[in-house]
Amino acid sequence: MIYFEEGLYPQALNLLISLLTSGTTSSPQLPAFLPPPLHIAFISTLIVHPTTTTRAKSLDRIQAANLSLRYLRLLLKSLGPIQGNLNEAFIFTGLSISSRRGGTGRRRITDDGVSPTAGSAEGIENDLANSGSLWARAEDFWQAVGWTFNCSVLHKRRWERWSAWLAYMVDVLETDWEARGSGPNPRERSLIVEYTGSRGITTGRERKALRAIFADGRAKSLAEFHEIWPNETKELKKNADIKKAEAKIDIEADNYGDYMEDENDADLEDSSEELSSSSPDQEIQPEGSIPNGADDLGGMESVNLRLRLLSLLSKVADALPNVFTDINTLYDNYLEHIRSLPMPVYFVIMSPTSLRHFAPAAESTLTQYILRSLISASAPLPPDFNLSQEVLEFSFLPYPANTNSVIDNTKVSLCVETLLRLLDRHGYLSLTTGLQEAMEAGITARSTKAKRNQRKRGTDGNGGCDGMWLRASAERIRSLVQMAKP
């Protein structure tokens, strides 16, 4: 704790790593040393705080951020989220009254009451452990998620650090959920349930979660999911005085380099990426170009994290509808966000490869949910969401969209393609005359209907070039059916 309070983060973290690994690697295995939850929360803040990452004044600060991530990963692997007390450590509390008035106190509310604050036996006299902590600065988990995904689009340097934090948190959430069941560790007490509003915050909780997951760096998204720390995206001026950071540390002489110095706003400037890049609202695609949908969402790493969160929420809704929300309500909200996505982004989210983040049943249900909203009214929809080749041939495969839009017909085709691949992946697709006839009927129907609304050659106005997306999906469907075994 003394190391943390004095800003000697690498020394503290190396000691904690040594204490953790010495017990778990010994034979017979000895109990691992576990710091208080408040210390774990502090360590997680070091992963992303500007002063240890994008505005670090010394290599020691950068090393502290990397060691923090290493320690938390070791903790998750060695002890798991339950034994590691991560549910108690990773609680968003907001600033306490004393913090808002300029104090450093931080209250952490748990099921057992108020946990230690700075000045107590377990507290840390360091701003980053109190009012400057991630867990105090962010309103809740989804505030941090939304800002992370905004950074994936707009602030690539911040994204490098936030993505590491979020990937770790998703690992924790998934591991914690799978480790729980009935008995002493029910899923009702899981961390993801805590984040979905188990403490009485019920209105619109799933809607905020989805807005965070689909945050795209545009003005509306930035207004809701803003930076966690003031001036977070600013960087140190190149000519800022960093002599103190390079000075030799002499504890006996009370010389700590820059460790005990607060940041000076005069030493900050806008990052080079802010000065040179435009927002997604201002971006214009060259005529005739095919945009990469993943880029609109910050790249594939960002897309995969979004999908993992969507998958986890579907598991919570399916298992605990009375605690979170029922699966139909959740998928209604998914539909609201996904159906209207531009074609390139829709393709990235709803492609068979992307949806493998979901369990097979959830993948099938979500795809059918979206498909039912798009498909022609003449399609005889099945009474439930159970998927089979017969259902696909009779209810989905032969039909176009319910509009003449090229985009809607392409989205129907992609949904059908995803369901075909799902059946094929699990060995339930067989080459039959009925399958081939339904396939050709659907390809023809969608192409014919889409052409009615193509008013000009070239782009269709939403990222596809003259029906290219629709034709490409049709060819993939043909290939998939032809390769199916009789």
Side-chain angles (χ1 to χ4, degrees), residues 265-280:
D265 287 347
D267 291 337
L268 305 181
E269 63 181 359
D270 291 333
S271 66
S272 56
E273 62 189 5
E274 284 186 340
L275 297 174
S276 62
S277 63
S278 59
S279 72

Side-chain angles (χ1 to χ4, degrees), residues 308-321:
R308 288 173 66 186
L309 286 169
L310 289 173
S311 174
L312 186 56
L313 288 181
S314 72
K315 291 179 181 178
V316 177
D318 186 52
L320 303 173

Side-chain angles (χ1 to χ4, degrees), residues 108-268:
R108 301 184 64 252
I109 307 301
T110 69
D111 291 336
D112 298 323
V114 181
S115 69
T117 59
S120 68
E122 294 181 0
I124 301 175
E125 292 286 353
N126 186 308
D127 181 65
L128 300 191
N130 297 284
S131 62
S133 166
L134 164 63
W135 313 96
R137 295 293 312 179
E139 178 183 330
D140 55 23
F141 176 66
W142 304 110
Q143 175 72 32
V145 168
W147 173 241
T148 297
F149 288 136
N150 279 333
C151 286
S152 74
V153 178
L154 292 178
H155 308 291
K156 294 299 183 181
R157 290 200 66 212
R158 292 301 296 152
W159 163 245
E160 289 177 7
R161 300 311 306 180
W162 276 110
S163 62
W165 175 84
L166 184 56
Y168 171 76
M169 288 301 299
V170 174
D171 286 341
V172 170
L173 295 173
E174 291 173 340
T175 305
D176 182 55
W177 178 261
E178 295 301 329
R180 294 178 181 274
S182 56
N185 296 309
R187 283 179 167 168
E188 287 83 353
R189 297 179 62 182
S190 64
L191 194 55
I192 185 61
V193 169
E194 170 71 31
Y195 290 165
T196 53
S198 65
R199 295 190 181 277
I201 305 172
T202 58
T203 304
R205 52 191 174 183
E206 71 277 0
R207 288 183 175 273
K208 180 177 182 180
L210 290 183
R211 290 196 301 272
I213 292 171
F214 284 98
D216 57 6
R218 297 180 186 274
K220 184 177 181 181
S221 181
L222 285 170
E224 182 172 13
F225 305 109
H226 46 75
E227 62 184 10
I228 304 301
W229 292 280
N231 299 321
E232 182 180 336
T233 60
K234 292 184 180 295
E235 298 178 359
L236 288 174
K237 291 181 179 179
K238 293 181 180 179
N239 61 347
D241 182 9
I242 59 172
K243 292 181 179 179
K244 290 183 179 180
E246 298 173 346
K248 182 178 180 180
I249 295 173
D250 187 345
I251 296 177
E252 292 184 359
D254 289 333
N255 181 6
Y256 300 98
D258 76 326
Y259 286 116
M260 306 302 291
E261 297 291 329
D262 293 329
E263 278 193 326
N264 188 338
D265 287 347
D267 291 337
L268 305 181

Side-chain angles (χ1 to χ4, degrees), residues 123 210 449 462:
L210 290 183
K449 195 165 188 179
N462 208 351

